[in-house]
Amino acid sequence: MTKVITLGQFIIERQADFPYAKGELSRLLRDIGIASKIVNREVNKAGLVDILGETGSVNIQGERVKKLDVYANEQFISALKSGGECCMIASEENEELIFIDSEISSEAKYIVAIDPLDGSSNIDVNVSVGTIFSIYRRRSMDVPVSAEDVLQRGLRQVAAGYVIYGSSTMLVYTTGCGTNGFTLDPSIGEFCLSHPDLKMPQTGTIYSVNEGYYVHFPEGVKKYIKYCQVEDPSTQRPYTSRYVGSAVADIHRSLIKGGIFIYPSSSHVPQGKLRLLYEANPLSFVAEQAGGRASDGYRRILEIKTTAIHQRTPVFIGSAEMVKKAEEFMARYSPRNSPEGSLNDLLVE
Ligand code: P6P
């Protein structure tokens, strides 16, 4: 019987690696874990209770809001407020920043950017969805927390991760010392270490992109897709195509099996679709800490200058060799100084 290590035990054991840590980040990660278990309970019984379907409202992204989106957002905000370790939240569901100005959070030093329920269009058809979170340390304790504290480059994240509500519920996170995966054991209500020190395969045979938008893609992406489809046994091509429509699911598969996930800029989403702050940056941090690669087709996502909380970016995340190959096609067919590539310069200082 192998020893079960719960998320809580793991966080405390790893906290010992940070001699000056006083436990705040550990408690913050614990709070996120607790909220994830509450959301998981509702996701797992969606369909049995009146929590499917739409609220009838539209969020800042112009997307129709699902009831479970609202529920998940409320759970994470509530957990972060009551935990006392977070002083500000940037949520995909909220147009403005949420300032936590309470007695217990007055000395809080962390900011959380979160997509409470990513892939919500899949909820009603029982396909995996996820939560994505990113944690920054506020720049100074001497001035009131402000938007500047969350508009930091992805390189400045102190922790990041995701929860995938799928055939099992997993929490995968990093604090910059590798990436570790925990699977929820419903019988004890604990996330248990199941994927220690995850390593993304350096290459793979699965490409993941919504080919329905092919005609809108930059030439470099079109050429890379055709490269994936060419018969060449020496490089195990043609590759397999897999696209779930939940970035967490598509990137989790790449992390475990190898592969590349691409959501590029295009004529219908000129800056890409995924949001930098609470989707691309945390997923990129997790991927890089597992040995993967994450770029906007030209440069590291974690180096992109963040100028707005709902800023979007093109995304190429996955096995390092596959992302490098896609970047070669972008450099050759959609170079940065071309109309297709020049837009990305707006995203970097
Ligand atoms: P499309 C979910 O809404 C999401 O933000 C990502 O999780 C997912 O990868 C993408 O959008 C799917 O977008 O345009 O292919 O339906």
Side-chain angles (χ1 to χ4, degrees):
M1 173 75 173
T2 52
K3 180 174 181 296
V4 170
I5 299 177
T6 67
L7 176 63
Q9 290 165 330
F10 184 87
I11 290 169
I12 289 168
E13 283 170 15
R14 285 303 176 91
Q15 179 183 303
D17 297 342
F18 300 92
Y20 304 107
K22 302 192 194 82
E24 296 105 322
L25 181 59
S26 300
R27 286 191 292 274
L28 182 54
L29 288 166
R30 174 210 61 198
D31 297 341
I32 290 170
I34 291 168
S36 304
K37 287 190 273 191
I38 295 170
V39 170
N40 174 69
R41 184 185 61 202
E42 293 307 304
V43 168
N44 279 350
K45 66 184 181 187
L48 296 175
V49 295
D50 179 24
I51 201 160
L52 285 178
E54 300 176 357
T55 60
S57 61
V58 173
N59 67 13
I60 186 225
Q61 325 294 342
E63 297 161 343
R64 293 195 296 268
V65 178
K66 302 280 189 177
K67 292 177 184 173
L68 212 46
D69 280 329
V70 173
Y71 177 82
N73 195 41
E74 289 167 352
Q75 291 307 315
F76 281 101
I77 291 172
S78 168
L80 292 171
K81 280 185 174 176
S82 56
E85 303 303 344
C86 173
C87 57
M88 184 170 70
I89 302 168
S91 171
E92 194 248 10
E93 292 298 328
N94 296 75
E95 182 169 355
E96 303 300 332
L97 292 168
I98 301 163
F99 292 88
I100 302 173
D101 186 14
S102 68
E103 189 65 30
I104 60 168
S105 302
S106 58
E107 293 305 308
K109 63 167 96 167
Y110 293 108
I111 292 99
V112 176
I114 190 162
D115 185 353
L117 206 64
D118 179 68
S120 54
S121 58
N122 285 318
I123 292 169
D124 297 0
V125 294
N126 210 13
V127 171
S128 299
V129 293
T131 295
I132 312 169
F133 61 90
S134 172
I135 301 174
Y136 291 92
R137 188 177 289 108
R138 69 195 274 187
R139 290 168 187 251
S140 164
M141 298 300 288
D142 302 332
V143 296
V145 68
S146 71
E148 292 306 308
D149 290 297
V150 79
L151 297 179
Q152 302 187 52
R153 279 182 175 74
L155 284 172
R156 305 280 298 169
Q157 293 173 98
V158 293
Y162 62 80
V163 181
I164 179 167
Y165 309 98
S167 51
S168 66
T169 296
M170 278 191 71
L171 186 149
V172 177
Y173 85 98
T174 182
T175 57
C177 301
T179 292
N180 291 279
F182 300 79
T183 300
L184 183 63
D185 180 341
S187 68
I188 58 173
E190 291 283 2
F191 281 107
C192 300
L193 184 63
S194 54
H195 297 70
D197 197 23
L198 270 168
K199 290 298 176 215
M200 189 183 287
Q202 281 301 295
T203 191
T205 59
I206 302 172
Y207 73 101
S208 183
V209 62
N210 187 339
E211 294 189 62
Y213 302 141
Y214 181 88
V215 292
H216 301 301
F217 285 158
E219 194 59 25
V221 173
K222 289 179 179 175
K223 294 289 189 190
Y224 179 69
I225 290 172
K226 290 308 169 195
Y227 167 84
C228 293
Q229 296 170 346
V230 163
E231 180 93 33
D232 175 13
S234 70
T235 54
Q236 298 178 280
R237 288 180 290 149
Y239 294 153
T240 298
S241 174
R242 288 282 184 277
Y243 191 76
V244 176
S246 284
V248 170
D250 285 316
I251 290 170
H252 183 70
R253 183 195 55 248
S254 303
L255 182 60
I256 302 296
K257 291 191 163 186
I260 184 171
F261 169 77
I262 300 173
Y263 206 109
S265 62
S266 67
S267 50
H268 83 296
V269 280
Q271 294 186 353
K273 180 179 181 184
L274 269 65
R275 277 51 61 104
L276 178 64
L277 195 58
Y278 42 76
E279 290 176 316
N281 271 337
L283 293 171
S284 298
F285 192 17
V286 167
E288 285 197 1
Q289 285 293 313
R293 188 177 175 91
S295 83
D296 64 358
Y298 304 99
R299 63 186 68 78
R300 247 178 120 193
I301 283 176
L302 295 184
E303 292 176 354
I304 293 176
K305 187 172 185 295
T306 310
T307 55
I309 59 176
H310 300 297
Q311 170 181 342
R312 298 175 190 265
T313 177
V315 164
F316 296 65
I317 298 182
S319 295
E321 295 311 312
M322 297 182 83
V323 174
K324 282 178 193 165
K325 176 61 78 174
E327 289 168 353
E328 287 170 15
F329 280 91
M330 291 302 284
R332 184 172 173 192
Y333 296 101
S334 299
R336 278 176 58 179
N337 57 4
S338 65
E340 293 176 333
S342 57
L343 181 87
N344 293 302
D345 286 334
L346 301 178
L347 306 179
V348 178
E349 201 162 52

